[in-house]
Amino acid sequence: MSVSLTDAKSAELYQRALQRLPGGVNSPVRAMRAIGRDPIFIDRAEGAEIVDVDGNRYVDYVCSWGPLIHGHAHPEILAAVFEAAQRGTTFGAPTAGEVEIAEEIARRIPSVEMVRMTSSGTEASMSALRLARAATGRTTLLKFAGAYHGHVDGLLAQAGSGLATQGIPASPGVPESATHETVIVPWNDGEAVARAFAEHELAAVIAEPYPANMGLVPPVENFLQLLRNKADETGALLIFDEVITGFRVAPGGAQEREGVTPDLTVMGKVVGGGLPAAAYGGSRALMERVAPAGDVYQAGTLSGNPLAVAAGLTTLRMLDEAAYMRLRATTETLAAGLRDAAAAAGVPVSVTSVPGLLTVFFAETAPRDYATAQRCDHDAYAAWCRALLARGVYPPPSQYEAWFPSLAHTSEHLDRTLDAAAAAFGEVG
Ligand code: PLP
């Protein structure tokens, strides 16, 4: 298999991009700095494969970071988008599709009786927090170190050490006043959670039920239930950010798999089918606080955009039981194959997975929180990713991200991936 792909056109575009786009990209992780290489500019994609501007073809495990559960350019989704576009791209007035997608979401997620659509996951989590603060009359939030809920000021707060800490802004430009009301504790640390609830009158705890922004670090047993119990005892709301897990790990997301019901759910990625859409939802009583039913203001020019709704609704309707079984089998085959390939090459890795998501951690034991994820061998991960790219496999270019296998990945794609992975492990081992 070739290990010398040309990248002259990507390199040229990158030089031009650097003049007009900060860092040459419109979202930081695309720059591939975490794996020590320049970005690859994409020309087109179909199914599980993407093709760059130099004509190199890759088996894609980023899949736009999660929306493309059916793979790229799925004919039914494209047809739905074209059909919607022919009737007009946006109206600023309600459409039937918005009612249908809300009904479809509520059918899949019983805790979501009503939804409000937004254009990004960031907006959806920001709005869910506003609603939680309004509903409880409190301001302080609890989040987990290493969890990402979009670039909301109040949630861009740094991790503390072992103890609950007041949030310190993780980016210049985020005022301390914005993170002052954010308490951060380590993921999977029940004692730290209990202390935080005891020391603060919390409006809400927000969690990715399967955190996937520090690599995939599933909850230890009963951890999500502990969050539910503590919220109930203290009158705080439990918010699950299912932007990644929603409609992916099960029809009703991680809350269905884990049997723990949040008060509010944040959705994104799959719900927009590859177009810009996200949503938040919960019980009728809570959601009827949102304007114009209630007094909590939140709005959006393109919210519930007809093209995005068409893509999202078609995506959801194609996700039947058989699809979830297939995605689960694909993920398990891939995870097991990657473990075996690493072991054969003598490279110490630990692969975490849930249906539709996995992470290859360059560490002997799987991380249980952000601090342990930070101790993985990031240089080895970077070298391995570069070696995969050279062999036509496109992994998430950061140790802190998850792989997104899709329903378009066939056994032939998995074979190609595992051959490349074995060779790449051999190079870094
Ligand atoms: N929440 C989670 C768990 C995410 O992974 C992301 C983005 O990756 C977001 C929220 C923010 O979504 P968006 O990038 O659409 O603003």
Side-chain angles (χ1 to χ4, degrees):
M1 187 180 284
S2 164
V3 292
S4 54
L5 308 179
T6 57
D7 63 358
K9 289 185 181 160
S10 268
E12 194 222 311
L13 276 171
Y14 184 42
Q15 288 312 312
R16 279 172 55 199
L18 283 172
Q19 303 307 310
R20 298 292 178 200
L21 302 167
V25 291
N26 275 311
S27 196
V29 74
R30 298 177 197 174
M32 294 195 162
R33 289 189 180 179
I35 61 161
R37 60 153 297 151
D38 292 342
I40 295 169
F41 284 71
I42 304 304
D43 177 51
R44 63 185 188 279
E46 72 237 358
E49 299 185 17
I50 46 173
V51 181
D52 71 16
V53 288
D54 291 285
N56 301 308
R57 186 173 280 272
Y58 307 85
V59 183
D60 182 18
Y61 289 100
V62 171
C63 288
S64 196
W65 302 101
L68 304 176
I69 197 163
H70 297 290
H72 293 272
H74 191 286
E76 274 184 52
I77 298 170
L78 292 186
V81 173
F82 291 153
E83 198 277 325
Q86 279 163 350
R87 288 185 281 127
T89 56
T90 176
F91 311 115
T95 57
E98 290 161 86
V99 183
E100 286 169 36
I101 199 167
E103 288 169 352
E104 179 70 27
I105 293 168
R107 194 177 64 74
R108 288 167 173 264
I109 312 180
S111 71
V112 176
E113 292 176 337
M114 298 185 98
V115 292
R116 166 60 56 86
M117 295 199 77
T118 63
S119 297
S120 71
T122 297
E123 268 179 274
S125 56
M126 183 183 86
S127 308
L129 293 173
R130 180 179 303 153
L131 175 57
R133 283 171 159 160
T136 57
R138 304 174 184 175
T139 51
T140 306
L141 306 168
L142 179 67
K143 86 172 271 281
F144 293 96
Y148 181 64
H149 305 290
H151 57 94
V152 182
D153 270 1
L155 295 179
L156 272 188
Q158 200 72 279
S161 52
L163 299 170
T165 50
Q166 288 300 141
I168 300 164
S171 165
V174 175
E176 267 182 47
S177 56
T179 55
H180 183 68
E181 306 285 357
T182 308
V183 176
I184 300 163
V185 297
W187 178 245
N188 278 332
D189 185 339
E191 282 178 22
V193 167
R195 258 197 318 273
F197 271 95
E199 287 170 10
H200 302 273
E201 192 180 49
L202 296 171
V205 49
I206 182 165
E208 298 178 65
Y210 298 153
N213 284 291
M214 49 178 137
L216 176 69
V217 183
V220 295
E221 214 179 330
N222 293 328
F223 189 68
L224 297 178
Q225 188 59 52
L226 171 77
L227 302 184
R228 178 68 275 170
N229 295 347
K230 286 287 166 197
D232 286 343
E233 284 164 21
T234 59
L237 297 188
L238 176 61
I239 306 175
F240 277 174
D241 177 347
E242 297 229 39
V243 166
I244 285 181
T245 52
F247 315 110
R248 170 171 287 275
V249 300
Q255 57 193 272
E256 177 186 320
R257 266 177 67 82
E258 296 294 322
V260 177
T261 305
D263 298 294
L264 290 170
T265 300
V266 183
M267 295 155 269
K269 300 195 190 271
V270 170
V271 82
L275 272 78
Y280 63 105
S283 67
R284 177 177 310 282
L286 272 175
M287 291 305 291
E288 284 194 333
R289 283 294 303 267
V290 177
D295 53 354
V296 179
Y297 192 71
Q298 187 267 312
T301 300
L302 292 177
S303 295
N305 172 263
L307 273 57
V309 165
L313 195 52
T314 309
T315 294
L316 294 181
R317 285 181 176 159
M318 288 195 294
L319 288 171
D320 56 16
E321 276 304 325
Y324 285 103
M325 279 171 65
R326 204 146 49 81
L327 188 60
R328 179 192 193 116
T330 298
T331 312
E332 283 173 1
T333 304
L334 189 59
L338 290 167
R339 271 184 210 113
D340 291 348
V347 179
V349 306
S350 138
V351 182
T352 55
S353 77
V354 293
L357 292 169
L358 67 85
T359 295
V360 181
F361 285 108
F362 276 66
E364 246 158 71
T365 47
R368 56 175 278 131
D369 57 17
Y370 187 44
T372 41
Q374 284 174 304
R375 290 202 283 273
C376 290
D377 187 341
H378 292 256
D379 290 341
Y381 182 81
W384 185 63
C385 286
R386 292 194 302 270
L388 283 175
L389 284 166
R391 290 172 174 81
V393 173
Y394 192 108
S398 162
Q399 177 71 96
Y400 295 127
E401 305 282 355
W403 292 47
F404 291 95
S406 80
L407 290 159
H409 286 81
T410 62
S411 56
E412 192 269 330
H413 289 120
L414 299 190
D415 290 346
R416 252 155 73 190
T417 303
L418 294 175
D419 284 349
F425 279 128
E427 230 175 76
V428 302

